[in-house]
Each structure stands twice: as C-alpha cells, then as structure tokens.
C-alpha cells in the first residue's frame, strides 16, 4: 500500500505545491509529540493509558444518554475576522485539556491553523481569479455570437441581392481613430503581458517575488506604450452599438507584416484621420478574423476548465490531508481531536464554497453549446482528454531492438577491425566516400545518425528526470496530454532507428568487402536517409504522426524567424540546433554527394572543391545562431525587454567565433589562430554566464544555498556544482573543435565526432536545468494554466 505522503505528492499540482498543506512539516511536529510520549515512563504511561482508556470508554457509554462529552473537549477552535477582507476568516486553536507535551501540541496546532488559513486564502484568491476570468469569457462569447450573427445576416443579404463579388463577405464596422486612454491601454498591455508569461515562457527568468514582478510589469507596460507596438486589429471600432477592439496576436507572417506596415504608416494614418468625418473609415471583419477570435476564446475556455479542475483537486487533496494528519494525532495522543477540528475544516471556505463547481458546470454547458455542436462526448475530448496509457509492449520492443542493435553493432565492429577500415589510410576509398556520408566514430556508429539519435536519447532521459522531479514539462512546452511523447516512446524510436542504421551499415560494409559494384553499394546509405525523410513527412496516422507534424511546425517557425511569434518550444528547439551544427554540415554534404551524382563516378572530393557548396557549408554553420538571434529580436519586438537584446549578443558572438574559424581554415596563419582563440574564448565566457545566471538561475548572491538558488528540485546540492563544472569543461571541449585538435593514430573525423558528441551531452544536461528553472519560475507565481489572450476588448465611450 502506497503511503499517503507519496500519494499526496504525486497528485498535487506541481506549480501550487507551496500552497498545499505542508503535510511533511505536520508529520515532523507530530513525530516530536510521539518521541515525548515514548520517552516518558513506560509503566506510568501504560497505567495512565489504561485509566484514561477506562475513563474514556465509560464517558462514551455515558454520552449515549446525553451530551455531557461536549464539556470534555480537548480543543476549541476560535474563528475570527482577518485584518483585510481578502484574507477571509482566520482560525486559532485553544487547548482545553492538559497535554503531556503541551508545548509540542501547541506548536502542532499552531502549524495546523497556519496551514488551514493558508489553504483558505489561496483558494479564495484563485477562485476569484477564475470567476473573473469566467465573467470575462462570457462577455467575449456574447460578442462573438453577436458578430457571427451579424456576419451571417450580411452574407444572406449579399446572397439575396445577387451581387457578384470575388471578395469574402465581411461586416462593415466604423473605426474610431481616437487614441485609446491610458487606462485601456494599460489593461490591454497587462493582458498581453500575462499571456506572454504563460504562452511564451520568458527565457530570461527574473525573481519570483511578486513585488519585483510588479515593478517589472509596470516598466514593461510603459516601454510598450512608448514603442506603440499595436496593430491594425488592435484599433478601436464600433460594431453593433459597442466600442470594441479586436486583438489578434501576431503569430503568423501575414499578421507580422501587417504590424510592420502599420508601424511605418501609423503616423500618416493618424494625420489623415483628423481630416475624416465623424463616421471615420470602415474596417472589414471577415470570416478569417472571426475564426481566429473563436479559436482564441475556445482555447481560453479549455484552460479555464483545466484550472477549475486543478482547484477541485486542490480542495480534495487538502481535505484528505487534514483528515489523515488528525487521525495520526489522535492515534499518537489518544485524544478525540478529529471530530472537533474536522467540523471546522468542513465548514471552512475552501470546502464549503460551491462557486467553482457551478462555474465548471456553466463552462462545460457553454462549450457544448458553442464549440461542440451540442455533443457532450465531443466536448469531453477537449475539456477532459484521456491520458495516454503506457503499454508493456513498448517496453518489450525497447528491449528487443536494443538486443538487435548490440548484436549488429558487435558484428560490425568485428568486420571493421578485421578489414582495418578505421586506421589512418589516406588513400582508402571507403573512408573518403562512405565516411562523409555516414561518418563513424571509433565504435563505428554513423556520424549524422549518431549525433541525432544521441540527442534524442538524452531528451528521453530528460523527460524521465523531469517526471521524477515533478517538473511540468508538458505545461511549459504546451504539449497536448494525448499527443506528447513519453520517455519510453523516445527510447523506442531511438533503439528502432539505430537498429535499422547499424543493420544497413552492416550490409553495406559486407557488400563492400566482397567487391560488389561501387555505385550500387553507395546507393544503400542514400536509400536509408531517404527512407527516414519520407517516414518523417508521411501524412498517414502512423509512427507518432502528431509529434512529427508538431516538430515540422516548430522547424518552420525557426526557419522563418522572426516572422512567427516565438514560444518556449520554438526557442528551446533552436537552442538544440545550435548544438547540432556538425550534423547539419554533414547533412549538407550528404545532399551534395547524392544530388550531384558524385557517388556514381567516385568523385568524393567534388563537394569539397566546389566553391558554392563549400560556401553553403559555411553558411550552415551560421544558420542556427542566426535563427536564434532573430528569435531574440522578435521577442524584443513583442515584449520590449532589453534582456532579449543582450541574449541576441550571445549568438552574435557565436557567429563571430564561427566566422573567425572559417577565415582560419582558409588561411592557416598565426594571426588568425590568435583571433580564433580570443573571440572563441570571449564567446565561451559570455555563454557560460548566460547558462549559469539566466538559463539555470544559479550563482545568486544572497541565496541560502551558496552559489546556487533558494529553491532546488534536486536534494543533493553537489549535483548542481558538478553540473556547473561539467558544463564549463564541455564548453571548452566545444572550443577545441574550433582549434581542430586531433589525437594520434585516430582519424580527424573520428575526433570531430567525439567532440561533437560532447557538445550534445552538454546540451542534454543544459535542458534539465533550463526547464527546472522555468518550472520554479512558474511555481513562484502559481501559474498552472495558460492565460490565453482574448480577442475582444470593450472600450468606454468617454475613452
């Protein structure tokens, strides 16, 4: 049977952990009472227990004929009003009977009262937050229904009039060019700031204290007011007798270009608006805008329902925790405290309020009516999605393919050792033709697939550790509960893929040693790569289609930076690509090798000699850093925080280091070597600072944990110090790739793969602490659900 403490920790909302009952502290206080009981005189204690037991039993018998037992209550809980209305009622327990360990008992009940007051206050705060959000969503829904009704009437009117038009039907609404009041703008910016904190998961993490966040939010609002980062859709218009503002986030390139054009022509538009009549100009709200608004409101309903579910869990778990700890107290002390204190808990606000239940039912009814076509089962798929159950077959196939991989790997190593394939032989055709296509380490794993699947394997390890440490990575990455990959799924993909890769390499090497046709043998690695690419873009619902398509969308967002709005998953994946530059360069060479037909005539050096392909390889080295820099620029454009510009400088320094390396490779002189060392060292120091301070949140000066931070997810502090030292060493290992360090009697490409693997390992370690810091940042603000920005904002007439 699982202990309640483990069950309690496993079911609580991770971001609200500090707001739950501190069950472990109450157990510590109860243990003190138990130790005092056990240290007392055993005979006296047993005699006292027997006498008290007889007395209690007789008292219980006597209580059957009356209520005299009420006069012998052990405690009395006083209910008093708090200093402020927001805190609600406060409870304080008075001991009526003399406990053998009165000081420990007073300490226990003092802690118990503190936990009860904390739970009530947090529940009341969150309840008010969700109720306000629910009221706002109801108004949004009314506006949407009204606009959809007007759009339908406009479309029917156009159909009846039989006017031929190629333009999409739209609602003509009057635009008011008057400047928004400061109050409205601040309200809108506050909504957007909250949404950016939830949807984008700010990369530069600040202190979790509310005061600092308030100051930061105010400064951000003022900066964003000065920069006038508003769009055409954010301007005030009048429709159906209401002054409204439609605010559609700039998540696509078309909306981004609209925002840029508005910034360019904003002054001209404001000047021309003064010459307009009182009616102003027309704004067309077409079906596309209504669809986006409906999608935003739908997502807000889903997140609200999820938050209400978390609040129900918060109530039930805390109620169960109070019952369990009171039962333990009665068992240790022999007093009848549970019925007395439990009545107070049951009548307290967090357990007696039914507003959350009513709002949840109302949200479910609205969702069924407007988004599920009156189909309750369809609505449940969105509001209460079923968790993906882990199958034992996945574990079986992981073991099966692991065994196959080891067997094929051992066979490949034996054949390669016998033929002497990896000795330093400059004239060896295999090393110069096959090796660039499927570069191999000393253990004979293909270069490109080794780095890719090593990175993926480390991601699976990160998922396992995140789950073990109760880090809510699904919420941070905004992954659907039914579509996210579990760590077993990741391991299955890695073992299956590497088994196929090593199997093909085994066949390739066997055919090569037997003297088969060169052009036919060289087709095999190309077919393997083509098979992986076709499987990756396969449109059929096989092999984790939702995860594959989500990955393709993320890659699209990265490649088209800064046109797409940057969220946490986008810049997290872009950081992964920065550690995969060797793999990208190898992929570019493979594409050149097969597309130019070099594999047919054994011209393995063509892609190295051709200037345009060589320049393209250099460009590939810059692309990941360029994409990441553009993401930082876009986040600065959206949020106005100068910290994103500082982060942009980190990737610019990496590009300068890569450029110095390219120049050194073309002209190997002492001057260029010194420049490479200086620039690469400066970039490494820059990156180390950002890793430790910004991304990991460590090296805090006034932390109770020296050189770390106050809150740590791992209990052993030495792990953090070890990880910091290892990150430093692996960063320097990355610096060695710039200097082209080699080992004796080992091919330089094997050395390059070894050092590139170290960078991948460093990134896998970085991933864990990056999300740990992000999780703690969310937990510091009790953010467990996304605050979805809403499309419609009503403006007062006087504004």
């Amino acid at each position: 049977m699982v202990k309640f403490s483990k069950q309690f920790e496993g079911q609580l909302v991770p971001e609200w952990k500090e707001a739950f009952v501190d069950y472990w502290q109450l157990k510590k206080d109860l243990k003190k009472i138990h130790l005092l009981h056990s240290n007392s005189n055993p005979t006296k204690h047993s005699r006292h227990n027997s006498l008290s037991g007889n007395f209690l039993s007789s008292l219980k018998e006597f209580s059957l004929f009356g209520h005299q037992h009420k006069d012998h209550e052990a405690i009395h809980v006083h209910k008093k009003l708090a200093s402020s209305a927001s805190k609600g009622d406060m409870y304080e327990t008075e001991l009526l009977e003399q406990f053998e360990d009165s000081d420990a008992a007073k300490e226990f009940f003092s802690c118990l009262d503190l936990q009860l007051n904390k739970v009530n206050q947090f529940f009341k705060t969150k309840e008010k937050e969700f109720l306000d959000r629910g009221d706002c969503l109801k108004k949004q829904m009314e506006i949407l229904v009204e606009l959809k009704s007007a759009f339908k009437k406009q479309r029917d009117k156009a159909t009846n009039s039989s006017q031929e038009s190629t333009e999409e039907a739209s609602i003509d609404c009057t635009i008011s060019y008057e400047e928004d009041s400061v109050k409205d703008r601040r309200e809108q910016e506050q909504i957007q700031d909250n949404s950016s904190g939830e949807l984008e998961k700010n990369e530069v993490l600040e202190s979790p204290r509310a005061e600092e966040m308030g100051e930061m939010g105010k400064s951000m609002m003022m900066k964003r007011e000065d920069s006038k980062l508003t769009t055409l859709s954010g301007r005030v218009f009048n429709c159906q007798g209401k002054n409204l503002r439609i605010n559609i986030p700039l998540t696509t390139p078309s909306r981004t270009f609209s925002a840029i054009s508005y910034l360019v022509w904003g002054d001209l538009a404001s000047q021309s608006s003064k010459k307009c009549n009182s009616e102003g100009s027309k704004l067309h709200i077409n079906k596309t805008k209504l669809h986006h608004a409906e999608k935003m409101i739908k997502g807000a309903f889903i997140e609200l329902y999820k938050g209400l579910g978390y609040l129900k869990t918060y109530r039930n778990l805390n109620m169960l925790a109070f019952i369990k700890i009171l039962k333990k107290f009665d068992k240790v002390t022999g007093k009848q405290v549970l019925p007395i204190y439990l009545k107070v808990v049951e009548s307290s606000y967090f357990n007696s309020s039914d507003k959350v239940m009513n709002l949840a039912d109302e949200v479910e009814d609205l969702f069924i009516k407007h988004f599920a076509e009156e189909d309750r089962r369809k609505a449940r798929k969105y509001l209460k999605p079923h968790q993906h159950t882990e199958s034992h077959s996945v574990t079986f196939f992981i073991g099966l393919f692991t065994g196959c991989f080891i067997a094929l790997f051992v066979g490949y190593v034996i054949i390669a050792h016998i033929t002497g394939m990896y000795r330093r032989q400059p004239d060896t055709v295999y090393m110069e033709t096959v090796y660039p296509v499927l570069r191999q380490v000393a253990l004979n794993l293909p270069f490109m697939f080794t780095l890719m699947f090593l990175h993926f394997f480390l991601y699976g390890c990160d998922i396992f550790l995140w789950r073990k440490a109760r880090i809510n990575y699904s919420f941070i990455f905004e992954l659907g509960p039914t579509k996210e990959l579990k760590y077993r799924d990741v391991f299955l993909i890695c073992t299956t893929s590497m088994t196929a890769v090593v199997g093909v390499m085994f066949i390739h090497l066997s055919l090569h040693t037997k003297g088969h046709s060169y052009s036919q043998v060289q087709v095999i690695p190309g077919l393997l790569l083509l098979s992986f690419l076709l499987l990756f873009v396969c449109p059929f619902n096989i092999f984790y289609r939702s995860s594959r398509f989500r990955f393709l969308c993320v890659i699209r967002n990265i490649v088209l930076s800064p046109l797409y709005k940057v969220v946490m998953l986008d810049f997290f994946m872009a950081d992964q690509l920065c550690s995969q530059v060797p793999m990208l360069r190898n992929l570019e060479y493979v594409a050149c090798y097969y597309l130019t037909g070099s594999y047919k005539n054994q011209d393995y050096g063509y892609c190295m000699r051709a200037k345009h392909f060589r320049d393209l390889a250099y460009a590939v080295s810059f692309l990941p850093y360029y994409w990441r820099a553009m993401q930082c620029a876009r986040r600065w454009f959206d949020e106005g925080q100068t910290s994103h510009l500082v982060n942009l400088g980190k990737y610019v320094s990496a590009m300068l280091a890569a450029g110095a390396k390219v120049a050194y490779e073309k002209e190997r002189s002492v001057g260029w070597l010194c420049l490479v060392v200086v620039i690469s060292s400066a970039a490494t120091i820059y990156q180390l600072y950002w890793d430790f301070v910004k991304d990991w949140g460590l090296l805090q000066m006034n932390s109770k944990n020296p050189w770390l931070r106050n809150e740590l997810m791992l209990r052993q502090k030495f792990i953090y110090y070890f990880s910091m030292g290892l990150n430093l060493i692996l960063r320097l290992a990355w610096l060695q790739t710039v200097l082209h360090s080699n080992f004796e009697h080992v091919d330089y490409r094997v050395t390059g793969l070894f050092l590139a693997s170290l960078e991948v390992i460093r990134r896998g370690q970085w991933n864990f602490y990056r999300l740990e810091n992000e999780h703690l940042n969310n937990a510091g603000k009790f953010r467990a659900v996304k605050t979805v920005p809403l499309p419609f904002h009503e403006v007062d007439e006087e504004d």
Side-chain angles (χ1 to χ4, degrees):
M1 185 176 179
V2 181
K3 290 184 177 180
F4 174 74
S5 58
K6 294 184 178 179
Q7 180 185 358
F8 182 68
E9 186 176 12
Q11 294 182 3
L12 56 79
V13 183
E15 289 79 9
W16 295 354
K17 184 176 181 180
E18 296 300 323
F20 276 82
V21 172
D22 195 347
Y23 186 77
W24 300 271
Q25 182 60 44
L26 291 172
K27 284 184 65 177
K28 289 180 181 178
D29 294 342
L30 196 58
K31 190 175 181 179
K32 295 179 182 179
I33 300 176
H34 180 69
L35 290 175
L36 290 174
H37 271 270
S38 61
N39 291 334
S40 61
N41 191 345
T43 56
K44 180 180 179 180
H45 186 64
S46 59
R47 188 184 305 115
H48 174 76
N49 285 341
S50 61
L51 292 174
S52 61
N54 295 333
F55 176 77
L56 287 174
S57 60
S58 61
L59 185 62
K60 290 179 180 178
E61 293 177 358
F62 180 74
S63 65
L64 294 175
F65 303 96
H67 300 281
Q68 289 86 344
H69 65 284
K70 292 185 178 180
D71 297 334
H72 299 277
E73 292 180 346
I75 61 171
H76 180 71
V77 183
H78 298 281
K79 179 179 178 181
K80 57 183 180 179
L81 296 178
S83 57
S84 61
S86 60
K87 292 185 177 181
D89 297 327
M90 305 293 289
Y91 297 93
E92 184 177 353
T93 302
E94 178 186 0
L95 303 183
L96 299 180
E97 289 188 4
Q98 182 66 30
F99 288 80
E100 293 183 2
D101 42 10
S102 58
D103 293 336
K106 288 181 181 179
E107 184 178 353
F108 173 81
F109 282 106
S110 176
C111 182
L112 191 65
D113 294 336
L114 180 65
Q115 299 303 317
L116 179 58
N117 296 329
K118 179 184 70 175
V119 169
N120 279 323
Q121 183 179 352
F122 180 82
F123 186 89
K124 190 172 184 179
T125 302
K126 280 297 176 182
E127 183 188 65
K128 183 178 184 302
E129 176 186 336
F130 288 138
L131 289 176
D132 293 341
R133 195 180 303 181
D135 293 338
C136 186
L137 272 176
K138 293 174 190 176
K139 295 179 182 179
Q140 295 280 317
M141 198 68 241
E142 293 175 0
I143 296 172
L144 179 63
V145 171
E146 192 173 355
L147 287 177
K148 290 176 69 175
S149 177
F151 179 83
K152 185 178 180 181
K153 291 179 182 179
Q154 188 79 5
R155 185 178 56 185
D156 295 340
K157 183 179 179 181
T159 303
N160 296 332
S161 61
S162 301
Q163 295 179 353
E164 297 181 358
S165 175
T166 58
E167 295 182 359
E168 186 181 6
S170 60
I171 312 170
D172 291 333
C173 302
T174 304
I175 302 176
S176 173
Y177 282 99
E178 297 179 1
E179 291 291 333
D180 302 339
S181 66
V182 175
K183 175 184 177 181
D184 290 324
R185 282 186 291 170
R186 286 188 177 181
E187 290 177 356
Q188 184 66 15
E189 298 301 331
Q190 185 176 4
I191 294 174
Q192 293 180 353
D193 287 340
N194 291 335
S195 66
S196 64
E198 297 292 333
L199 296 175
E200 299 177 18
K201 303 295 180 298
N202 292 331
E203 180 182 12
V204 182
L205 299 177
E206 304 293 341
S207 173
R209 291 177 295 181
E211 294 84 2
E212 295 183 4
M213 287 302 301
E215 295 176 359
M216 184 183 69
K218 292 179 181 179
S219 62
M220 285 174 59
M221 285 189 286
M222 295 303 295
K223 291 177 182 177
R224 297 179 69 179
E225 286 176 11
D226 296 336
S227 59
K228 297 182 180 180
L229 296 180
T230 57
T231 64
L232 180 62
S233 62
R235 291 153 68 185
V236 179
F237 67 94
N238 183 276
C239 183
Q240 305 295 324
K242 295 180 180 180
N243 290 327
L244 301 174
R245 179 194 291 116
I246 295 184
N247 181 24
I248 306 296
L250 308 177
T251 56
T252 60
S254 60
R255 298 179 201 166
T256 303
F257 285 127
S258 298
I260 294 174
S261 62
Y262 175 71
L263 289 175
V264 174
W265 300 101
D267 294 335
L268 296 177
S270 61
Q271 292 178 3
S272 61
S273 64
K274 298 178 181 179
K275 302 178 181 179
C276 295
N277 53 17
S278 59
E279 295 181 356
S281 62
K282 298 292 182 180
L283 172 66
H284 298 284
I285 305 176
N286 54 23
K287 187 177 180 180
T288 303
K289 290 184 178 180
L290 286 179
H291 175 72
H292 286 303
E294 183 178 7
K295 189 175 180 180
M296 294 169 65
I297 295 175
K298 179 180 178 181
F301 268 109
I302 293 174
E303 291 301 320
L304 175 60
Y305 193 83
K306 186 189 297 183
L308 294 173
Y310 286 159
L311 208 53
K312 293 178 186 177
T313 302
Y314 180 81
R315 166 192 288 172
N316 297 333
L317 284 180
N318 282 320
M319 190 66 193
L320 192 57
F322 280 117
I323 294 175
K324 290 288 184 179
I325 199 65
L326 288 171
K327 282 184 177 180
K328 288 180 179 295
F329 182 86
D330 287 355
K331 185 177 180 180
V332 169
T333 61
K335 305 289 184 180
Q336 296 296 323
V337 171
L338 173 63
I340 304 171
Y341 203 94
L342 191 58
K343 289 181 181 179
V344 177
V345 176
E346 289 176 346
S347 61
S348 62
Y349 187 84
F350 87 94
N351 188 64
S352 60
S353 177
D354 59 350
K355 296 179 182 179
V356 173
M357 302 293 294
N358 296 335
L359 181 59
D361 295 337
E362 191 173 357
V363 168
E364 186 173 349
D365 293 338
L366 287 174
F367 194 91
I368 294 171
K369 179 180 179 181
H370 297 288
F371 301 107
E373 301 175 353
E374 302 292 342
D375 188 350
R376 184 174 294 273
R377 181 176 297 179
K378 182 179 179 181
R380 289 292 179 116
K381 292 181 180 179
Y382 293 99
L383 298 176
K384 295 181 179 180
H386 294 288
Q387 296 289 337
H388 175 67
T389 56
E390 297 181 356
S391 175
H392 294 290
S393 60
V394 176
T395 306
F396 169 76
F397 283 111
I398 290 174
L400 176 64
F401 286 116
T402 301
C404 295
F405 166 74
I406 294 174
L408 291 171
F409 176 72
V410 171
Y412 187 84
V413 169
I414 293 174
I415 296 178
H417 178 73
I418 293 174
T419 58
M421 199 61 65
Y422 296 106
R423 298 191 184 98
R424 293 181 63 90
Q425 300 174 5
D427 298 331
T428 300
V429 175
Y430 185 84
M431 288 298 293
E432 296 298 334
T433 55
V434 181
Y435 196 92
V437 179
L438 290 166
R439 284 179 168 176
Q440 301 161 355
V441 290
L443 297 179
N444 306 303
L445 286 178
F447 181 88
M448 184 175 61
F449 292 110
T450 298
L451 291 182
M452 182 170 62
F453 290 114
L454 174 62
H455 207 142
F456 202 49
F457 174 79
L458 291 174
Y459 175 70
C461 295
D462 286 330
I463 293 177
F464 175 79
L465 294 175
W466 289 332
R467 292 185 61 182
K468 200 76 174 177
R470 299 279 294 163
I471 295 174
N472 197 353
Y473 69 96
S474 300
F475 169 63
I476 296 174
F477 287 146
E478 302 178 31
L479 301 175
T482 60
K483 298 180 180 180
E484 64 171 302
L485 287 177
K486 308 296 184 182
Y487 68 91
R488 286 188 176 90
D489 298 321
V490 176
F491 292 155
L492 178 62
I493 294 173
C494 290
T495 54
T496 305
S497 302
M498 289 307 298
T499 300
V501 170
V502 176
V504 169
M505 288 300 300
F506 183 85
I507 296 173
H508 179 273
L509 183 58
S510 300
L511 294 176
H512 177 76
T513 55
K514 291 180 180 180
H516 285 75
S517 174
Y518 176 81
S519 59
Q520 294 178 355
V521 174
Q522 286 301 94
V523 171
I524 296 177
L527 291 177
L528 175 64
L529 179 60
L530 183 62
S531 300
F532 272 106
L533 293 178
L534 292 178
L535 182 62
F536 200 74
V537 297
C538 177
F540 302 108
N541 191 14
I542 55 175
F543 301 114
Y544 307 102
R545 184 183 66 171
S546 59
S547 299
R548 290 188 285 110
F549 281 16
R550 180 66 182 272
F551 180 77
L552 290 175
C553 291
V554 172
I555 295 298
R556 177 204 61 188
N557 296 349
I558 294 173
V559 173
L560 297 180
S561 299
L563 300 180
Y564 280 93
K565 187 179 181 68
V566 182
V567 296
M568 175 72 183
L569 188 58
D570 293 341
F571 67 72
F572 184 85
M573 183 58 65
D575 279 324
Q576 312 306 306
L577 292 179
C578 291
S579 296
Q580 287 287 2
V581 171
M583 188 204 71
L584 295 177
R585 292 191 63 173
N586 190 72
L587 180 61
E588 184 269 341
Y589 182 87
V590 171
C592 170
Y593 184 78
Y594 282 102
L595 292 178
T596 59
S598 299
Y599 71 97
K600 295 180 180 179
N601 52 17
Q602 303 184 26
D603 189 8
Y604 51 84
Y606 173 76
C607 295
M608 296 295 184
R609 297 191 307 268
K611 184 177 183 302
H612 50 285
F613 283 109
R614 190 168 62 249
D615 294 340
L616 181 60
Y618 293 143
V620 169
S621 302
F622 289 89
L623 276 178
Y625 303 109
Y626 167 78
W627 290 331
R628 193 64 190 89
M630 290 298 99
Q631 286 181 336
C632 294
R634 174 59 192 263
R635 297 192 68 194
W636 170 78
F637 178 83
D638 289 337
E639 303 173 22
Q641 294 185 16
T642 56
S643 57
H644 295 308
L645 294 180
V646 180
N647 194 19
L648 185 148
K650 180 183 71 172
Y651 298 100
V652 172
S653 67
M655 286 190 284
L656 291 176
K661 176 190 173 184
V662 170
Y664 171 67
E665 289 178 348
K666 292 183 178 180
E667 183 181 351
R668 294 181 178 274
S669 62
V670 178
W672 280 112
L673 178 61
C674 294
L675 185 63
V676 167
V677 173
V678 171
I679 296 180
S680 299
S681 300
T684 301
I685 294 173
Y686 199 162
Q687 292 161 357
L688 284 172
Y689 167 78
W690 204 268
D691 286 343
F692 296 151
V693 178
K694 299 297 183 180
D695 290 335
W696 293 3
L698 304 177
L699 298 181
Q700 295 183 6
M701 300 302 296
N702 298 323
S703 173
K704 62 182 180 181
N705 302 309
W707 300 102
L708 301 178
R709 64 173 104 87
N710 290 329
E711 299 295 332
L712 301 175
M713 299 296 294
L714 302 179
R715 296 179 181 179
Q716 293 80 9
K717 298 179 183 178
F718 77 91
I719 296 179
Y720 293 91
Y721 298 113
F722 173 79
S723 299
M724 292 170 67
L726 184 61
N727 187 71
L728 172 62
I729 295 173
L730 295 181
R731 279 288 190 186
L732 295 177
W734 168 81
L735 182 60
Q736 294 300 315
T737 62
V738 178
L739 303 177
H740 274 290
S741 298
N742 295 314
F743 300 99
E744 293 186 4
H745 307 298
V746 180
D747 192 275
Y748 73 93
R749 287 159 295 201
V750 176
T751 305
L753 177 56
F754 175 72
L755 295 176
S757 300
L758 291 181
E759 169 61 18
V760 172
I761 294 173
R762 186 200 67 81
R763 181 63 64 180
Q765 174 190 252
W766 180 90
N767 291 340
F768 175 81
Y769 297 107
R770 176 65 185 87
L771 253 70
E772 179 197 20
N773 196 22
E774 187 71 22
H775 172 80
L776 292 174
N777 182 58
N778 290 332
K781 306 176 188 67
F782 301 107
R783 295 187 298 194
V785 293
K786 296 182 294 185
T787 304
V788 181
L790 301 177
F792 306 115
H793 180 67
E794 190 170 351
V795 182
D796 297 334
E797 294 183 0
E798 64 266 14
D799 295 335

